[in-house]
């Protein structure tokens, strides 16, 4: 993929006030940068025409990993999830919706699993609880 393997730096589950939605704040480092050919402008310099970005071969695998975000109940069963194909952002904020009626007494787990070409390259699990209603 690249010289540096992408890594999940942080995963922060933020429970929204309705206890039915959980915002995931995900930070990833080491993603490939295939469009790194940047032209700089100087005030007295006219650059040559930019070259088009390189096109990967039609059958070449993507250099970007996939990321699966999920919420697991205390029995490790998924109760919410989403799949990001060819993840390219260092910082992502996405909201997952709990499918079942939430149980505020239960501990949940936020999980982010990063894969490339079918192989897991990183996984993070963070336990959390829903907001206690007074």
């Amino acid at each position: 993929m690249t010289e540096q393997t992408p890594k999940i730096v942080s995963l922060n589950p933020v429970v929204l006030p309705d206890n039915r939605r959980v915002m995931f704040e995900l930070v990833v480092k080491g993603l490939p940068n295939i469009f790194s050919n940047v032209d700089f402008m100087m005030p007295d310099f006219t650059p040559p025409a930019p070259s088009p970005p390189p096109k990967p071969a039609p059958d070449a695998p993507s250099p970007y990993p996939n990321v699966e975000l999920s919420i697991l109940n205390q029995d490790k069963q998924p109760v919410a999830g989403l799949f990001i194909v060819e993840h390219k952002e260092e910082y992502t904020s996405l909201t997952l919706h709990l499918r079942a009626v939430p149980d505020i007494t239960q501990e949940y787990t936020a999980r982010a699993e990063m894969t490339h070409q079918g192989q897991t390259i990183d996984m993070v699990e963070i336990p959390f609880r829903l907001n206690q209603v007074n």
Side-chain angles (χ1 to χ4, degrees), residues 54-114:
K55 293 184 179 180
D59 293 337
S62 170
Y64 296 102
N66 298 324
V67 176
E68 183 174 2
L69 301 176
S70 55
I71 298 173
L72 308 175
N73 64 17
Q74 64 189 13
D75 298 325
K76 297 298 183 188
Q77 298 300 311
V79 294
L82 65 84
F83 193 77
I84 305 168
V85 177
E86 296 183 13
H87 183 70
K88 297 178 173 102
E89 304 294 326
E90 283 191 3
Y91 174 80
T92 304
S93 178
L94 296 164
T95 302
L96 279 71
H97 298 254
L98 294 169
R99 288 181 267 199
V101 176
D103 180 354
I104 61 171
T105 64
Q106 188 176 135
E107 183 171 89
Y108 291 88
T109 301
R111 173 192 262 172
E113 181 176 3
M114 185 182 300

Side-chain angles (χ1 to χ4, degrees), residues 10-70:
S10 70
L11 175 64
N12 182 31
V14 178
V15 178
L16 298 177
D18 63 3
N19 277 336
R20 299 291 304 236
R21 297 172 295 145
V22 180
M23 181 174 59
F24 277 33
E25 296 173 335
L26 176 69
V27 179
V28 177
K29 295 289 182 193
L31 292 169
N33 185 5
I34 61 173
F35 300 110
S36 62
N37 195 4
V38 178
D39 292 325
F40 292 97
M41 288 288 286
M42 308 227 4
D44 58 349
F45 176 72
T46 304
S51 58
K55 293 184 179 180
D59 293 337
S62 170
Y64 296 102
N66 298 324
V67 176
E68 183 174 2
L69 301 176
S70 55

